[in-house]
Every structure is written in C-alpha cells, then in structure tokens.
C-alpha cells in the first residue's frame, strides 16, 4: 500500500460499520454516560458497537459492567438490532489519548467515531458521517458541537469565538460540509486505515480527566494524516450534531483563562511535533481575522447598549493573551528540555511527544 493514496474501507453507505468510542473517567458523570450511550444506540445509521473505555477507575469499571451486563440503556433505531456495549479499561497511561487508543485497538468497525462522555448525539449523527465516507478519499469527518449551558443560556460575557474552550464549535469555522485541517476530537470519526498507517493519538498532549485542561491531540493526529497521505480529505459536516453539556464551573472566567493558557501550552507541543507552519496555520487566520471582528462586535454592542459587549471584547483579548503566554512558556520549556537531553545525547523529541509534554506540564496550573 503506497503512502499518498487513501484506500476505501470494505463498505460504505448503509453497510458501513461504525464503532463509537466513549472515554469515561468519573462516576460524577454517570447519568451523562448513560445518555451518551443511549443517543448512540438510537442512531438512524445503527452503530456497529459502542466501546466504553474507563480511565483507571476500578469502581466505575465494575459499575458499568454490572449495568450493561443486564438491561441495556436506551433503544436501538426502529428495525435495527441491539447495539453491543463493550466495557474495557484504558490499557495505557492515564489520559484521554491513551483511552482513545485503547478503543481504537479494540474496535471492529471500518470507521471509528468518538463522542464525549458528557454529550449526546442527534439521531442522524452517524448517518451524516457514513454519507461522507462514500468518497474513498475521505479519511476523517467531524461535526458540529452545540453547548448546553448549565444555567440554561450562554453567559453574556462568553464570546462565541472561544467556544472551543468548552469543547464546542466556535465562531469562525466555515458552515456546511467543508474541508478542514483538523476535526474536533469530541465529535469526530476516522477511517481505521488512517490509524493503521500513521498510528494513534499522541500520548500526553490531551486531557487527563479534569486535572489538566490541555488539548490539540486531534490536531496533531490530523496533520500527521495529511502529511502521510497528501491526497486525504478531512471534513466537517455541520449537520452531524452533538450537544455538549457545559457545567457551571466551566462557565467561569477563571476556567476560561486557564483553558486558553493550556491551549497555548498544547499548541507548543503540536508545533514541536509538526512545525509552526502546519501547527499554527488555522490559528493565525483565526487570530488575524475572526478575533478582531469579535472585539469590534463587542465594542459596537457596548455602544448600542446591548448587554455583555464590553465583557465579550475583553474576554477575547484576555483569552488571546493567555493562549499566547501559554504558547511562549511551553515553547521555552520544551526548548530547555530539548537542550538538556541533547547535551546528554538523548533523542530530543520521541514520537509520542513525552519529552515536550513533561517540559510544559507544570506550566498548566495558572
């Protein structure tokens, strides 16, 4: 199989087998987990299987096995067979990337989709994914993620340009079905062949429960796919919708600032791995075009007496500054660690990114 020529899976359309991986890490989201599974089991394009990967939490693992060993949660789509729910422990180190890689290794489908454990998918989520894979060049498809605010509505100061802070689709992404550099990990799917050719998610870049709000593991993976297979097509179809719960603690400015800072740290890891040209291309466009427009819109709303305008403008400036500070600190720490390892004659950036990760972890707590 020659690199650069994507290969279609053995089936497309209604016959396409899609495995759905949901990584879980806390009993506090028990009801959310059951709702996520139920939404997958009710898809108009039936899932081939659901894989629940438990991140080093023995009690949650046992509780899920007991629950799904008997009555199933939710109902399959009309006329569809029941969707099996497979429960397994994360076989790698703690964290989202290793959990996803565990699910990938166990999955049996031609396509592997990922859903956050605090999100529910609309009924046609997998149908839109499956339709996109009718084109054999398509190796990844993402969708639109809508926030479900704990307070029932968006905080007036929270800018839509920064909805990525809470894992949702943000203002500035093009609408419709479009090619993108990378999909967003909580609402995404990939052909299995992509993982076979380039490997899985990088260990260390992504989240570790709620303790370290890093990200960008899907960005690094997608760039690797495009570099290995230059003809590969990566899409977002905004008709493939999920609804993502945003708890009260993530609606506070302190979390907003920490998450933006951590995103900067994460981008430092990505650019260390794939270079600044690919690692920051989308971010530069967003910073140069979308964010200034957002600031002006906030100031205009202030002049017109609309609530929250000044807060949104200020949050955009503060979030941008925090992300830039995180990127600068992450880059400096990674270079320092690289120099130290080089002096010792050690490889400066192993494939899994652990050297750079260890260099920036302590900077995540702001």
């Amino acid at each position: 199989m020659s690199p650069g020529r994507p290969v279609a899976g053995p089936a497309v359309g209604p016959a396409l087998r899609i495995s759905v991986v949901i990584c879980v890490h806390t009993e506090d989201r028990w009801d959310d987990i059951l709702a996520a599974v139920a939404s997958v089991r009710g898809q108009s394009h039936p899932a081939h299987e659901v894989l629940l990967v438990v991140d080093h939490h023995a009690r949650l693992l046992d509780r899920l096995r007991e629950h799904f060993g008997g009555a199933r949660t939710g109902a399959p789509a009309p006329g569809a067979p029941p969707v099996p729910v497979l429960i397994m422990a994360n076989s790698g180190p703690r964290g989202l990337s290793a959990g996803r890689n565990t699910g990938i290794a166990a999955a049996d489908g031609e396509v592997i989709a990922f859903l956050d454990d605090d999100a529910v998918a609309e009924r046609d989520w997998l149908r839109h994914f499956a339709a996109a894979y009718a084109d054999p060049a398509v190796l990844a498809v993402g969708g639109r993620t809508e926030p479900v605010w704990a307070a029932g509505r968006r905080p007036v100061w929270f800018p839509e340009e920064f909805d990525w802070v809470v894992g949702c689709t943000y203002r500035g992404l093009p609408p419709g079905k479009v090619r993108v550099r990378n999909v967003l990990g909580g609402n995404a799917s990939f052909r299995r062949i992509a993982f076979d050719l380039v490997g899985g998610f990088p260990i260390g870049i992504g989240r570790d429960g709620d303790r370290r709000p890093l990200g960008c593991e899907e960005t690094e993976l997608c760039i690797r796919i495009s570099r290995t297979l230059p003809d590969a097509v990566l899409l977002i179809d905004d008709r493939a919708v999920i609804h993502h719960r945003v708890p009260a603690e993530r609606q506070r400015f302190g979390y907003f600032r920490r998450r933006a800072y951590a995103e900067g740290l994460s981008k430092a890891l990505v650019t260390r791995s794939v270079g600044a040209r690919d690692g920051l291309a989308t971010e530069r466009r967003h910073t140069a075009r979308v964010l200034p427009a957002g600031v002006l819109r906030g100031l205009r709303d202030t002049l017109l007496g609309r609530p929250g305008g000044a807060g949104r403008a200020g949050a955009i400036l503060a979030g941008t500054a925090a992300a830039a500070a995180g990127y600068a600190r992450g880059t400096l720490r990674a270079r320092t660690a690289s120099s130290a390892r080089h002096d010792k004659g050690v490889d400066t950036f192993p494939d899994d990114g652990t050297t750079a990760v260890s260099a920036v972890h302590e900077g995540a707590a702001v």
Side-chain angles (χ1 to χ4, degrees):
M1 186 179 304
S2 60
R5 186 178 297 276
V7 178
V12 297
L16 184 70
R17 295 181 302 161
I18 304 179
S19 300
V20 179
V21 175
I22 303 174
C23 295
V24 302
H25 69 278
T26 175
E27 287 186 277
D28 293 342
R29 294 185 180 178
W30 178 257
D31 290 339
D32 293 330
I33 294 168
L34 299 188
V37 173
S39 73
V40 175
R41 298 190 71 244
Q43 291 292 300
S44 58
H45 178 109
H48 175 62
E49 60 190 351
V50 179
L51 300 98
L52 285 175
V53 183
V54 182
D55 194 13
H56 298 271
H57 195 309
R59 188 168 63 184
L60 177 57
L61 181 68
D62 291 341
R63 187 178 178 186
L64 286 168
R65 283 175 171 165
E66 180 180 359
H67 179 86
F68 286 104
R72 294 292 192 264
T73 279
V83 178
V85 179
L86 310 178
I87 316 297
M88 62 197 67
N90 177 3
S91 61
R94 186 183 300 275
L96 182 58
S97 289
R100 286 173 172 167
N101 291 340
T102 298
I104 292 165
D108 188 47
E110 292 95 11
V111 167
I112 303 171
F114 299 92
L115 179 67
D116 280 345
D117 64 346
D118 52 357
V120 294
E122 292 191 359
R123 187 172 184 272
D124 291 332
W125 179 58
L126 293 183
R127 182 174 71 83
H128 291 300
F129 281 175
Y133 287 110
D135 179 353
V138 173
L139 289 193
V141 186
R144 186 172 85 248
T145 301
E146 296 286 351
V148 180
W149 304 96
R153 63 179 181 176
R154 172 187 299 274
V156 293
W157 63 268
F158 202 112
E160 293 182 26
E161 293 83 357
F162 274 77
D163 275 5
W164 55 263
V165 164
V166 291
C168 295
T169 300
Y170 53 90
R171 184 194 294 267
L173 285 177
K177 186 177 180 181
V178 294
R179 293 187 68 165
V180 292
R181 180 195 65 181
N182 64 275
V183 297
L184 306 180
N187 179 6
S189 63
F190 299 83
R191 285 195 197 271
R192 168 171 288 284
I193 189 68
F195 298 115
D196 294 340
L197 292 175
V198 309
F201 290 93
I203 301 299
I205 293 181
R207 282 182 175 272
D208 178 0
D210 286 323
R211 290 174 290 281
R212 179 168 48 85
L214 298 178
C216 297
E217 66 275 19
E218 66 275 1
T219 301
E220 194 274 348
L221 172 64
C222 288
I223 292 172
R224 237 187 309 137
I225 291 172
S226 295
R227 285 186 168 184
T228 303
L229 301 163
D231 295 332
V233 174
L234 285 67
L235 298 173
I236 284 182
D237 185 342
D238 65 7
R239 298 171 299 173
V241 180
I242 70 170
H243 299 269
H244 185 273
R245 189 174 64 84
V246 183
E249 59 269 20
R250 295 191 180 183
Q251 298 177 200
R252 301 185 181 118
F253 182 74
Y255 178 84
F256 177 91
R257 184 174 63 90
R258 288 193 302 274
R259 179 66 184 86
Y261 183 88
E263 183 76 1
L265 292 171
S266 302
K267 283 293 187 293
L269 300 183
V270 172
T271 56
R272 183 77 175 153
S273 175
V274 302
R277 186 186 67 177
D278 291 336
L280 295 178
T282 299
E283 290 74 17
R284 284 171 175 155
R285 287 193 297 272
H286 189 72
T287 302
R289 300 175 187 176
V290 177
L291 297 186
V295 172
L296 292 176
R297 190 162 37 247
L299 295 177
R300 181 200 63 194
D301 288 347
T302 300
L303 293 174
L304 294 175
R306 295 170 181 167
R312 290 190 296 275
I316 290 173
L317 295 174
T320 303
Y327 180 79
R329 187 169 187 179
T331 300
L332 177 61
R333 288 183 176 275
R335 287 175 178 171
T336 301
S338 175
S339 297
R341 290 175 64 84
H342 180 75
D343 291 343
K344 295 178 182 179
V346 181
D347 178 21
T348 58
F349 195 82
D351 290 341
D352 64 0
T354 52
T355 300
V357 170
S358 63
V360 302
H361 271 186
E362 65 185 84
V366 189

